[in-house]
PDB file of all heavy atoms in Angstrom:
ATOM      1  N   PHE A 330      53.506 119.957 127.316  1.00 68.00           N
ATOM      2  CA  PHE A 330      54.183 119.848 128.594  1.00 68.00           C
ATOM      3  C   PHE A 330      54.581 118.403 128.892  1.00 68.00           C
ATOM      4  O   PHE A 330      55.672 118.122 129.327  1.00 68.00           O
ATOM      5  CB  PHE A 330      53.295 120.436 129.730  1.00 68.00           C
ATOM      6  CG  PHE A 330      53.076 121.905 129.560  1.00 68.00           C
ATOM      7  CD1 PHE A 330      51.855 122.383 129.163  1.00 68.00           C
ATOM      8  CD2 PHE A 330      54.116 122.802 129.740  1.00 68.00           C
ATOM      9  CE1 PHE A 330      51.628 123.731 128.989  1.00 68.00           C
ATOM     10  CE2 PHE A 330      53.912 124.176 129.572  1.00 68.00           C
ATOM     11  CZ  PHE A 330      52.672 124.633 129.183  1.00 68.00           C
ATOM     12  N   ALA A 331      53.656 117.477 128.611  1.00 73.00           N
ATOM     13  CA  ALA A 331      53.994 116.049 128.786  1.00 73.00           C
ATOM     14  C   ALA A 331      55.086 115.622 127.829  1.00 73.00           C
ATOM     15  O   ALA A 331      56.034 114.908 128.226  1.00 73.00           O
ATOM     16  CB  ALA A 331      52.733 115.211 128.563  1.00 73.00           C
ATOM     17  N   GLY A 332      55.013 116.068 126.588  1.00 69.00           N
ATOM     18  CA  GLY A 332      56.031 115.729 125.598  1.00 69.00           C
ATOM     19  C   GLY A 332      57.399 116.284 125.962  1.00 69.00           C
ATOM     20  O   GLY A 332      58.427 115.620 125.817  1.00 69.00           O
ATOM     21  N   ALA A 333      57.435 117.535 126.415  1.00 69.00           N
ATOM     22  CA  ALA A 333      58.714 118.152 126.786  1.00 69.00           C
ATOM     23  C   ALA A 333      59.299 117.470 128.008  1.00 69.00           C
ATOM     24  O   ALA A 333      60.504 117.240 128.074  1.00 69.00           O
ATOM     25  CB  ALA A 333      58.512 119.650 127.041  1.00 69.00           C
ATOM     26  N   LEU A 334      58.454 117.157 128.979  1.00 73.00           N
ATOM     27  CA  LEU A 334      58.975 116.455 130.174  1.00 73.00           C
ATOM     28  C   LEU A 334      59.474 115.054 129.805  1.00 73.00           C
ATOM     29  O   LEU A 334      60.537 114.630 130.296  1.00 73.00           O
ATOM     30  CB  LEU A 334      57.888 116.396 131.237  1.00 73.00           C
ATOM     31  CG  LEU A 334      57.511 117.735 131.870  1.00 73.00           C
ATOM     32  CD1 LEU A 334      56.348 117.561 132.840  1.00 73.00           C
ATOM     33  CD2 LEU A 334      58.702 118.350 132.573  1.00 73.00           C
ATOM     34  N   LEU A 335      58.755 114.383 128.935  1.00 74.00           N
ATOM     35  CA  LEU A 335      59.230 113.087 128.473  1.00 74.00           C
ATOM     36  C   LEU A 335      60.509 113.245 127.667  1.00 74.00           C
ATOM     37  O   LEU A 335      61.443 112.437 127.790  1.00 74.00           O
ATOM     38  CB  LEU A 335      58.146 112.428 127.599  1.00 74.00           C
ATOM     39  CG  LEU A 335      58.427 111.007 127.147  1.00 74.00           C
ATOM     40  CD1 LEU A 335      58.604 110.085 128.348  1.00 74.00           C
ATOM     41  CD2 LEU A 335      57.269 110.500 126.294  1.00 74.00           C
ATOM     42  N   GLY A 336      60.618 114.304 126.879  1.00 70.00           N
ATOM     43  CA  GLY A 336      61.827 114.577 126.140  1.00 70.00           C
ATOM     44  C   GLY A 336      63.014 114.824 127.026  1.00 70.00           C
ATOM     45  O   GLY A 336      64.149 114.417 126.743  1.00 70.00           O
ATOM     46  N   LEU A 337      62.790 115.482 128.182  1.00 72.00           N
ATOM     47  CA  LEU A 337      63.870 115.696 129.147  1.00 72.00           C
ATOM     48  C   LEU A 337      64.352 114.351 129.686  1.00 72.00           C
ATOM     49  O   LEU A 337      65.544 114.101 129.812  1.00 72.00           O
ATOM     50  CB  LEU A 337      63.379 116.581 130.287  1.00 72.00           C
ATOM     51  CG  LEU A 337      63.233 118.080 129.967  1.00 72.00           C
ATOM     52  CD1 LEU A 337      62.515 118.783 131.094  1.00 72.00           C
ATOM     53  CD2 LEU A 337      64.572 118.710 129.681  1.00 72.00           C
ATOM     54  N   TYR A 338      63.415 113.469 130.000  1.00 75.00           N
ATOM     55  CA  TYR A 338      63.775 112.149 130.528  1.00 75.00           C
ATOM     56  C   TYR A 338      64.536 111.340 129.459  1.00 75.00           C
ATOM     57  O   TYR A 338      65.610 110.780 129.743  1.00 75.00           O
ATOM     58  CB  TYR A 338      62.526 111.398 130.956  1.00 75.00           C
ATOM     59  CG  TYR A 338      62.854 109.988 131.406  1.00 75.00           C
ATOM     60  CD1 TYR A 338      63.339 109.758 132.706  1.00 75.00           C
ATOM     61  CD2 TYR A 338      62.661 108.903 130.572  1.00 75.00           C
ATOM     62  CE1 TYR A 338      63.666 108.482 133.123  1.00 75.00           C
ATOM     63  CE2 TYR A 338      62.971 107.611 130.982  1.00 75.00           C
ATOM     64  CZ  TYR A 338      63.467 107.422 132.261  1.00 75.00           C
ATOM     65  OH  TYR A 338      63.785 106.149 132.666  1.00 75.00           O
ATOM     66  N   ILE A 339      63.989 111.310 128.246  1.00 72.00           N
ATOM     67  CA  ILE A 339      64.629 110.556 127.172  1.00 72.00           C
ATOM     68  C   ILE A 339      65.983 111.169 126.837  1.00 72.00           C
ATOM     69  O   ILE A 339      66.957 110.466 126.579  1.00 72.00           O
ATOM     70  CB  ILE A 339      63.709 110.474 125.940  1.00 72.00           C
ATOM     71  CG1 ILE A 339      62.506 109.587 126.275  1.00 72.00           C
ATOM     72  CG2 ILE A 339      64.458 109.934 124.711  1.00 72.00           C
ATOM     73  CD1 ILE A 339      61.401 109.652 125.197  1.00 72.00           C
ATOM     74  N   GLY A 340      66.012 112.506 126.791  1.00 70.00           N
ATOM     75  CA  GLY A 340      67.262 113.207 126.487  1.00 70.00           C
ATOM     76  C   GLY A 340      68.354 112.859 127.454  1.00 70.00           C
ATOM     77  O   GLY A 340      69.543 112.716 127.069  1.00 70.00           O
ATOM     78  N   TRP A 341      68.018 112.738 128.716  1.00 72.00           N
ATOM     79  CA  TRP A 341      69.008 112.405 129.739  1.00 72.00           C
ATOM     80  C   TRP A 341      69.606 111.000 129.492  1.00 72.00           C
ATOM     81  O   TRP A 341      70.763 110.753 129.819  1.00 72.00           O
ATOM     82  CB  TRP A 341      68.421 112.493 131.123  1.00 72.00           C
ATOM     83  CG  TRP A 341      69.425 112.245 132.181  1.00 72.00           C
ATOM     84  CD1 TRP A 341      69.561 111.117 132.931  1.00 72.00           C
ATOM     85  CD2 TRP A 341      70.453 113.148 132.601  1.00 72.00           C
ATOM     86  NE1 TRP A 341      70.621 111.267 133.807  1.00 72.00           N
ATOM     87  CE2 TRP A 341      71.181 112.485 133.621  1.00 72.00           C
ATOM     88  CE3 TRP A 341      70.820 114.445 132.222  1.00 72.00           C
ATOM     89  CZ2 TRP A 341      72.266 113.105 134.245  1.00 72.00           C
ATOM     90  CZ3 TRP A 341      71.903 115.022 132.845  1.00 72.00           C
ATOM     91  CH2 TRP A 341      72.614 114.359 133.854  1.00 72.00           C
ATOM     92  N   HIS A 342      68.812 110.121 128.936  1.00 73.00           N
ATOM     93  CA  HIS A 342      69.260 108.751 128.736  1.00 73.00           C
ATOM     94  C   HIS A 342      69.632 108.446 127.273  1.00 73.00           C
ATOM     95  O   HIS A 342      69.712 107.248 126.902  1.00 73.00           O
ATOM     96  CB  HIS A 342      68.138 107.771 129.177  1.00 73.00           C
ATOM     97  CG  HIS A 342      67.820 107.914 130.636  1.00 73.00           C
ATOM     98  ND1 HIS A 342      68.679 107.478 131.622  1.00 73.00           N
ATOM     99  CD2 HIS A 342      66.766 108.487 131.271  1.00 73.00           C
ATOM    100  CE1 HIS A 342      68.158 107.753 132.791  1.00 73.00           C
ATOM    101  NE2 HIS A 342      67.008 108.368 132.624  1.00 73.00           N
ATOM    102  N   ALA A 343      69.903 109.474 126.479  1.00 69.00           N
ATOM    103  CA  ALA A 343      70.269 109.287 125.074  1.00 69.00           C
ATOM    104  C   ALA A 343      71.573 108.489 124.997  1.00 69.00           C
ATOM    105  O   ALA A 343      72.538 108.769 125.704  1.00 69.00           O
ATOM    106  CB  ALA A 343      70.405 110.618 124.372  1.00 69.00           C
ATOM    107  N   ALA A 344      71.612 107.551 124.072  1.00 70.00           N
ATOM    108  CA  ALA A 344      72.792 106.682 123.929  1.00 70.00           C
ATOM    109  C   ALA A 344      73.686 107.113 122.779  1.00 70.00           C
ATOM    110  O   ALA A 344      74.686 106.439 122.498  1.00 70.00           O
ATOM    111  CB  ALA A 344      72.340 105.243 123.717  1.00 70.00           C
ATOM    112  N   ALA A 345      73.378 108.235 122.124  1.00 72.00           N
ATOM    113  CA  ALA A 345      74.147 108.630 120.945  1.00 72.00           C
ATOM    114  C   ALA A 345      75.260 109.629 121.269  1.00 72.00           C
ATOM    115  O   ALA A 345      75.691 110.341 120.410  1.00 72.00           O
ATOM    116  CB  ALA A 345      73.211 109.204 119.908  1.00 72.00           C
ATOM    117  N   GLY A 346      75.666 109.704 122.497  1.00 75.00           N
ATOM    118  CA  GLY A 346      76.785 110.571 122.853  1.00 75.00           C
ATOM    119  C   GLY A 346      76.349 111.842 123.577  1.00 75.00           C
ATOM    120  O   GLY A 346      75.155 112.186 123.614  1.00 75.00           O
ATOM    121  N   PRO A 347      77.309 112.542 124.148  1.00 80.00           N
ATOM    122  CA  PRO A 347      77.002 113.714 124.972  1.00 80.00           C
ATOM    123  C   PRO A 347      76.393 114.885 124.189  1.00 80.00           C
ATOM    124  O   PRO A 347      75.579 115.615 124.699  1.00 80.00           O
ATOM    125  CB  PRO A 347      78.341 114.091 125.595  1.00 80.00           C
ATOM    126  CG  PRO A 347      79.367 113.417 124.775  1.00 80.00           C
ATOM    127  CD  PRO A 347      78.727 112.198 124.178  1.00 80.00           C
ATOM    128  N   SER A 348      76.813 115.059 122.939  1.00 81.00           N
ATOM    129  CA  SER A 348      76.277 116.156 122.138  1.00 81.00           C
ATOM    130  C   SER A 348      74.788 115.972 121.918  1.00 81.00           C
ATOM    131  O   SER A 348      74.011 116.934 122.015  1.00 81.00           O
ATOM    132  CB  SER A 348      77.003 116.266 120.797  1.00 81.00           C
ATOM    133  OG  SER A 348      76.461 117.270 120.022  1.00 81.00           O
ATOM    134  N   VAL A 349      74.383 114.767 121.614  1.00 82.00           N
ATOM    135  CA  VAL A 349      72.955 114.479 121.400  1.00 82.00           C
ATOM    136  C   VAL A 349      72.186 114.598 122.705  1.00 82.00           C
ATOM    137  O   VAL A 349      71.079 115.145 122.742  1.00 82.00           O
ATOM    138  CB  VAL A 349      72.777 113.073 120.754  1.00 82.00           C
ATOM    139  CG1 VAL A 349      71.286 112.692 120.687  1.00 82.00           C
ATOM    140  CG2 VAL A 349      73.415 113.043 119.396  1.00 82.00           C
ATOM    141  N   ARG A 350      72.803 114.155 123.792  1.00 83.00           N
ATOM    142  CA  ARG A 350      72.132 114.272 125.112  1.00 83.00           C
ATOM    143  C   ARG A 350      71.890 115.735 125.431  1.00 83.00           C
ATOM    144  O   ARG A 350      70.756 116.119 125.800  1.00 83.00           O
ATOM    145  CB  ARG A 350      73.007 113.629 126.188  1.00 83.00           C
ATOM    146  CG  ARG A 350      72.375 113.756 127.568  1.00 83.00           C
ATOM    147  CD  ARG A 350      73.186 113.053 128.632  1.00 83.00           C
ATOM    148  NE  ARG A 350      73.132 111.625 128.361  1.00 83.00           N
ATOM    149  CZ  ARG A 350      74.026 110.750 128.744  1.00 83.00           C
ATOM    150  NH1 ARG A 350      75.093 111.159 129.431  1.00 83.00           N
ATOM    151  NH2 ARG A 350      73.899 109.483 128.478  1.00 83.00           N
ATOM    152  N   VAL A 351      72.884 116.576 125.263  1.00 85.00           N
ATOM    153  CA  VAL A 351      72.729 117.993 125.562  1.00 85.00           C
ATOM    154  C   VAL A 351      71.708 118.613 124.631  1.00 85.00           C
ATOM    155  O   VAL A 351      70.856 119.400 125.048  1.00 85.00           O
ATOM    156  CB  VAL A 351      74.079 118.722 125.493  1.00 85.00           C
ATOM    157  CG1 VAL A 351      73.897 120.234 125.569  1.00 85.00           C
ATOM    158  CG2 VAL A 351      75.010 118.255 126.622  1.00 85.00           C
ATOM    159  N   ALA A 352      71.762 118.293 123.339  1.00 84.00           N
ATOM    160  CA  ALA A 352      70.820 118.850 122.395  1.00 84.00           C
ATOM    161  C   ALA A 352      69.376 118.447 122.745  1.00 84.00           C
ATOM    162  O   ALA A 352      68.471 119.293 122.650  1.00 84.00           O
ATOM    163  CB  ALA A 352      71.140 118.382 120.977  1.00 84.00           C
ATOM    164  N   ASN A 353      69.167 117.219 123.147  1.00 82.00           N
ATOM    165  CA  ASN A 353      67.837 116.770 123.518  1.00 82.00           C
ATOM    166  C   ASN A 353      67.340 117.480 124.788  1.00 82.00           C
ATOM    167  O   ASN A 353      66.195 117.884 124.897  1.00 82.00           O
ATOM    168  CB  ASN A 353      67.773 115.255 123.739  1.00 82.00           C
ATOM    169  CG  ASN A 353      67.813 114.505 122.431  1.00 82.00           C
ATOM    170  OD1 ASN A 353      67.411 115.001 121.405  1.00 82.00           O
ATOM    171  ND2 ASN A 353      68.310 113.288 122.480  1.00 82.00           N
ATOM    172  N   LEU A 354      68.239 117.667 125.749  1.00 84.00           N
ATOM    173  CA  LEU A 354      67.863 118.351 126.984  1.00 84.00           C
ATOM    174  C   LEU A 354      67.576 119.835 126.721  1.00 84.00           C
ATOM    175  O   LEU A 354      66.570 120.374 127.179  1.00 84.00           O
ATOM    176  CB  LEU A 354      68.975 118.207 128.040  1.00 84.00           C
ATOM    177  CG  LEU A 354      69.154 116.801 128.585  1.00 84.00           C
ATOM    178  CD1 LEU A 354      70.394 116.715 129.461  1.00 84.00           C
ATOM    179  CD2 LEU A 354      67.930 116.340 129.369  1.00 84.00           C
ATOM    180  N   VAL A 355      68.437 120.484 125.952  1.00 86.00           N
ATOM    181  CA  VAL A 355      68.233 121.896 125.632  1.00 86.00           C
ATOM    182  C   VAL A 355      66.963 122.059 124.775  1.00 86.00           C
ATOM    183  O   VAL A 355      66.144 122.971 125.063  1.00 86.00           O
ATOM    184  CB  VAL A 355      69.469 122.479 124.900  1.00 86.00           C
ATOM    185  CG1 VAL A 355      69.160 123.830 124.299  1.00 86.00           C
ATOM    186  CG2 VAL A 355      70.649 122.556 125.837  1.00 86.00           C
ATOM    187  N   GLY A 356      66.781 121.197 123.795  1.00 84.00           N
ATOM    188  CA  GLY A 356      65.578 121.291 122.963  1.00 84.00           C
ATOM    189  C   GLY A 356      64.296 121.093 123.741  1.00 84.00           C
ATOM    190  O   GLY A 356      63.327 121.831 123.541  1.00 84.00           O
ATOM    191  N   SER A 357      64.283 120.118 124.654  1.00 84.00           N
ATOM    192  CA  SER A 357      63.084 119.876 125.435  1.00 84.00           C
ATOM    193  C   SER A 357      62.803 121.040 126.389  1.00 84.00           C
ATOM    194  O   SER A 357      61.668 121.490 126.532  1.00 84.00           O
ATOM    195  CB  SER A 357      63.228 118.585 126.236  1.00 84.00           C
ATOM    196  OG  SER A 357      63.285 117.503 125.352  1.00 84.00           O
ATOM    197  N   ALA A 358      63.854 121.542 127.021  1.00 86.00           N
ATOM    198  CA  ALA A 358      63.679 122.679 127.944  1.00 86.00           C
ATOM    199  C   ALA A 358      63.214 123.939 127.168  1.00 86.00           C
ATOM    200  O   ALA A 358      62.355 124.679 127.636  1.00 86.00           O
ATOM    201  CB  ALA A 358      64.973 122.951 128.674  1.00 86.00           C
ATOM    202  N   LEU A 359      63.805 124.130 125.985  1.00 88.00           N
ATOM    203  CA  LEU A 359      63.391 125.284 125.169  1.00 88.00           C
ATOM    204  C   LEU A 359      61.951 125.151 124.706  1.00 88.00           C
ATOM    205  O   LEU A 359      61.190 126.132 124.736  1.00 88.00           O
ATOM    206  CB  LEU A 359      64.328 125.392 123.977  1.00 88.00           C
ATOM    207  CG  LEU A 359      64.153 126.593 123.052  1.00 88.00           C
ATOM    208  CD1 LEU A 359      64.380 127.900 123.834  1.00 88.00           C
ATOM    209  CD2 LEU A 359      65.135 126.503 121.896  1.00 88.00           C
ATOM    210  N   TRP A 360      61.560 123.965 124.287  1.00 87.00           N
ATOM    211  CA  TRP A 360      60.168 123.728 123.851  1.00 87.00           C
ATOM    212  C   TRP A 360      59.228 124.021 125.020  1.00 87.00           C
ATOM    213  O   TRP A 360      58.178 124.681 124.824  1.00 87.00           O
ATOM    214  CB  TRP A 360      60.030 122.297 123.380  1.00 87.00           C
ATOM    215  CG  TRP A 360      58.734 121.944 122.717  1.00 87.00           C
ATOM    216  CD1 TRP A 360      57.901 122.793 122.035  1.00 87.00           C
ATOM    217  CD2 TRP A 360      58.124 120.658 122.658  1.00 87.00           C
ATOM    218  NE1 TRP A 360      56.809 122.091 121.550  1.00 87.00           N
ATOM    219  CE2 TRP A 360      56.938 120.779 121.921  1.00 87.00           C
ATOM    220  CE3 TRP A 360      58.484 119.422 123.122  1.00 87.00           C
ATOM    221  CZ2 TRP A 360      56.086 119.725 121.671  1.00 87.00           C
ATOM    222  CZ3 TRP A 360      57.652 118.352 122.873  1.00 87.00           C
ATOM    223  CH2 TRP A 360      56.463 118.499 122.166  1.00 87.00           C
ATOM    224  N   LEU A 361      59.559 123.570 126.184  1.00 88.00           N
ATOM    225  CA  LEU A 361      58.722 123.805 127.364  1.00 88.00           C
ATOM    226  C   LEU A 361      58.643 125.302 127.690  1.00 88.00           C
ATOM    227  O   LEU A 361      57.553 125.842 127.913  1.00 88.00           O
ATOM    228  CB  LEU A 361      59.315 123.026 128.567  1.00 88.00           C
ATOM    229  CG  LEU A 361      58.528 122.974 129.822  1.00 88.00           C
ATOM    230  CD1 LEU A 361      57.160 122.342 129.607  1.00 88.00           C
ATOM    231  CD2 LEU A 361      59.288 122.184 130.900  1.00 88.00           C
ATOM    232  N   ALA A 362      59.765 125.992 127.642  1.00 91.00           N
ATOM    233  CA  ALA A 362      59.796 127.419 127.958  1.00 91.00           C
ATOM    234  C   ALA A 362      59.020 128.230 126.909  1.00 91.00           C
ATOM    235  O   ALA A 362      58.263 129.145 127.259  1.00 91.00           O
ATOM    236  CB  ALA A 362      61.244 127.915 128.061  1.00 91.00           C
ATOM    237  N   VAL A 363      59.201 127.914 125.645  1.00 91.00           N
ATOM    238  CA  VAL A 363      58.512 128.640 124.565  1.00 91.00           C
ATOM    239  C   VAL A 363      57.010 128.437 124.665  1.00 91.00           C
ATOM    240  O   VAL A 363      56.221 129.357 124.519  1.00 91.00           O
ATOM    241  CB  VAL A 363      59.058 128.180 123.189  1.00 91.00           C
ATOM    242  CG1 VAL A 363      58.166 128.642 122.046  1.00 91.00           C
ATOM    243  CG2 VAL A 363      60.471 128.745 122.983  1.00 91.00           C
ATOM    244  N   THR A 364      56.592 127.194 124.901  1.00 90.00           N
ATOM    245  CA  THR A 364      55.174 126.908 125.034  1.00 90.00           C
ATOM    246  C   THR A 364      54.568 127.585 126.257  1.00 90.00           C
ATOM    247  O   THR A 364      53.463 128.132 126.187  1.00 90.00           O
ATOM    248  CB  THR A 364      54.943 125.393 125.085  1.00 90.00           C
ATOM    249  OG1 THR A 364      55.525 124.793 123.930  1.00 90.00           O
ATOM    250  CG2 THR A 364      53.471 125.041 125.138  1.00 90.00           C
ATOM    251  N   ALA A 365      55.283 127.562 127.373  1.00 91.00           N
ATOM    252  CA  ALA A 365      54.802 128.239 128.596  1.00 91.00           C
ATOM    253  C   ALA A 365      54.679 129.721 128.346  1.00 91.00           C
ATOM    254  O   ALA A 365      53.709 130.359 128.803  1.00 91.00           O
ATOM    255  CB  ALA A 365      55.752 127.973 129.747  1.00 91.00           C
ATOM    256  N   THR A 366      55.609 130.315 127.600  1.00 94.00           N
ATOM    257  CA  THR A 366      55.512 131.725 127.269  1.00 94.00           C
ATOM    258  C   THR A 366      54.275 131.999 126.421  1.00 94.00           C
ATOM    259  O   THR A 366      53.546 132.971 126.649  1.00 94.00           O
ATOM    260  CB  THR A 366      56.795 132.191 126.538  1.00 94.00           C
ATOM    261  OG1 THR A 366      57.907 131.937 127.385  1.00 94.00           O
ATOM    262  CG2 THR A 366      56.721 133.670 126.208  1.00 94.00           C
ATOM    263  N   GLY A 367      54.032 131.141 125.444  1.00 93.00           N
ATOM    264  CA  GLY A 367      52.845 131.294 124.595  1.00 93.00           C
ATOM    265  C   GLY A 367      51.570 131.192 125.423  1.00 93.00           C
ATOM    266  O   GLY A 367      50.615 131.942 125.217  1.00 93.00           O
ATOM    267  N   TRP A 368      51.544 130.239 126.339  1.00 92.00           N
ATOM    268  CA  TRP A 368      50.383 130.061 127.195  1.00 92.00           C
ATOM    269  C   TRP A 368      50.160 131.282 128.060  1.00 92.00           C
ATOM    270  O   TRP A 368      49.025 131.770 128.214  1.00 92.00           O
ATOM    271  CB  TRP A 368      50.595 128.808 128.045  1.00 92.00           C
ATOM    272  CG  TRP A 368      49.435 128.491 128.948  1.00 92.00           C
ATOM    273  CD1 TRP A 368      48.231 127.985 128.595  1.00 92.00           C
ATOM    274  CD2 TRP A 368      49.403 128.700 130.349  1.00 92.00           C
ATOM    275  NE1 TRP A 368      47.415 127.824 129.691  1.00 92.00           N
ATOM    276  CE2 TRP A 368      48.125 128.260 130.805  1.00 92.00           C
ATOM    277  CE3 TRP A 368      50.292 129.163 131.303  1.00 92.00           C
ATOM    278  CZ2 TRP A 368      47.746 128.316 132.126  1.00 92.00           C
ATOM    279  CZ3 TRP A 368      49.901 129.214 132.621  1.00 92.00           C
ATOM    280  CH2 TRP A 368      48.638 128.778 133.014  1.00 92.00           C
ATOM    281  N   ARG A 369      51.273 131.830 128.605  1.00 95.00           N
ATOM    282  CA  ARG A 369      51.141 133.056 129.436  1.00 95.00           C
ATOM    283  C   ARG A 369      50.618 134.230 128.618  1.00 95.00           C
ATOM    284  O   ARG A 369      49.818 135.029 129.102  1.00 95.00           O
ATOM    285  CB  ARG A 369      52.502 133.444 130.046  1.00 95.00           C
ATOM    286  CG  ARG A 369      52.829 132.706 131.318  1.00 95.00           C
ATOM    287  CD  ARG A 369      53.917 133.392 132.129  1.00 95.00           C
ATOM    288  NE  ARG A 369      54.873 134.131 131.356  1.00 95.00           N
ATOM    289  CZ  ARG A 369      56.073 133.717 130.974  1.00 95.00           C
ATOM    290  NH1 ARG A 369      56.480 132.525 131.340  1.00 95.00           N
ATOM    291  NH2 ARG A 369      56.880 134.493 130.302  1.00 95.00           N
ATOM    292  N   MET A 370      51.052 134.341 127.369  1.00 94.00           N
ATOM    293  CA  MET A 370      50.554 135.426 126.502  1.00 94.00           C
ATOM    294  C   MET A 370      49.063 135.275 126.275  1.00 94.00           C
ATOM    295  O   MET A 370      48.335 136.275 126.280  1.00 94.00           O
ATOM    296  CB  MET A 370      51.290 135.417 125.156  1.00 94.00           C
ATOM    297  CG  MET A 370      52.763 135.764 125.230  1.00 94.00           C
ATOM    298  SD  MET A 370      53.094 137.394 125.873  1.00 94.00           S
ATOM    299  CE  MET A 370      53.936 137.000 127.405  1.00 94.00           C
ATOM    300  N   ALA A 371      48.572 134.086 126.093  1.00 93.00           N
ATOM    301  CA  ALA A 371      47.127 133.863 125.896  1.00 93.00           C
ATOM    302  C   ALA A 371      46.379 134.225 127.185  1.00 93.00           C
ATOM    303  O   ALA A 371      45.302 134.834 127.098  1.00 93.00           O
ATOM    304  CB  ALA A 371      46.858 132.411 125.504  1.00 93.00           C
ATOM    305  N   ARG A 372      46.899 133.833 128.318  1.00 94.00           N
ATOM    306  CA  ARG A 372      46.243 134.136 129.596  1.00 94.00           C
ATOM    307  C   ARG A 372      46.162 135.651 129.830  1.00 94.00           C
ATOM    308  O   ARG A 372      45.229 136.126 130.451  1.00 94.00           O
ATOM    309  CB  ARG A 372      46.994 133.484 130.762  1.00 94.00           C
ATOM    310  CG  ARG A 372      47.051 131.990 130.685  1.00 94.00           C
ATOM    311  CD  ARG A 372      45.841 131.312 131.226  1.00 94.00           C
ATOM    312  NE  ARG A 372      45.664 131.607 132.624  1.00 94.00           N
ATOM    313  CZ  ARG A 372      44.512 131.534 133.251  1.00 94.00           C
ATOM    314  NH1 ARG A 372      43.450 131.144 132.631  1.00 94.00           N
ATOM    315  NH2 ARG A 372      44.431 131.827 134.530  1.00 94.00           N
ATOM    316  N   ARG A 373      47.142 136.384 129.282  1.00 93.00           N
ATOM    317  CA  ARG A 373      47.136 137.852 129.401  1.00 93.00           C
ATOM    318  C   ARG A 373      46.381 138.531 128.271  1.00 93.00           C
ATOM    319  O   ARG A 373      46.381 139.739 128.158  1.00 93.00           O
ATOM    320  CB  ARG A 373      48.594 138.358 129.409  1.00 93.00           C
ATOM    321  CG  ARG A 373      49.348 137.948 130.638  1.00 93.00           C
ATOM    322  CD  ARG A 373      50.759 138.439 130.592  1.00 93.00           C
ATOM    323  NE  ARG A 373      51.499 138.006 131.773  1.00 93.00           N
ATOM    324  CZ  ARG A 373      52.787 138.063 131.885  1.00 93.00           C
ATOM    325  NH1 ARG A 373      53.540 138.526 130.910  1.00 93.00           N
ATOM    326  NH2 ARG A 373      53.380 137.628 132.979  1.00 93.00           N
ATOM    327  N   ARG A 374      45.764 137.720 127.417  1.00 93.00           N
ATOM    328  CA  ARG A 374      44.982 138.184 126.281  1.00 93.00           C
ATOM    329  C   ARG A 374      45.829 138.954 125.277  1.00 93.00           C
ATOM    330  O   ARG A 374      45.349 139.824 124.552  1.00 93.00           O
ATOM    331  CB  ARG A 374      43.785 139.029 126.724  1.00 93.00           C
ATOM    332  CG  ARG A 374      42.825 138.252 127.608  1.00 93.00           C
ATOM    333  CD  ARG A 374      41.462 138.912 127.552  1.00 93.00           C
ATOM    334  NE  ARG A 374      40.460 138.120 128.239  1.00 93.00           N
ATOM    335  CZ  ARG A 374      39.887 137.025 127.809  1.00 93.00           C
ATOM    336  NH1 ARG A 374      40.278 136.504 126.656  1.00 93.00           N
ATOM    337  NH2 ARG A 374      38.948 136.413 128.469  1.00 93.00           N
TER     338      ARG A 374
END
């Protein structure tokens, strides 16, 4: 969660162009969502 949130921040400030910025933002958001889903599955046993 900390890494994904940091990735969102870094992704927003990427200097390698808009494609890299969007990829970093999408990747960080996806990582956060996938991990949260995994965590929810564990909580539901």
Side-chain angles (χ1 to χ4, degrees):
F330 296 108
L334 292 175
L335 186 59
L337 287 169
Y338 177 80
I339 291 170
W341 183 255
H342 298 289
S348 178
V349 173
R350 179 177 293 156
V351 170
N353 286 334
L354 291 172
V355 168
S357 294
L359 185 61
W360 189 28
L361 188 59
V363 165
T364 303
T366 301
W368 182 74
R369 276 198 332 260
M370 294 298 115
R372 298 278 297 158
R373 293 179 182 166
R374 299 203 173 284

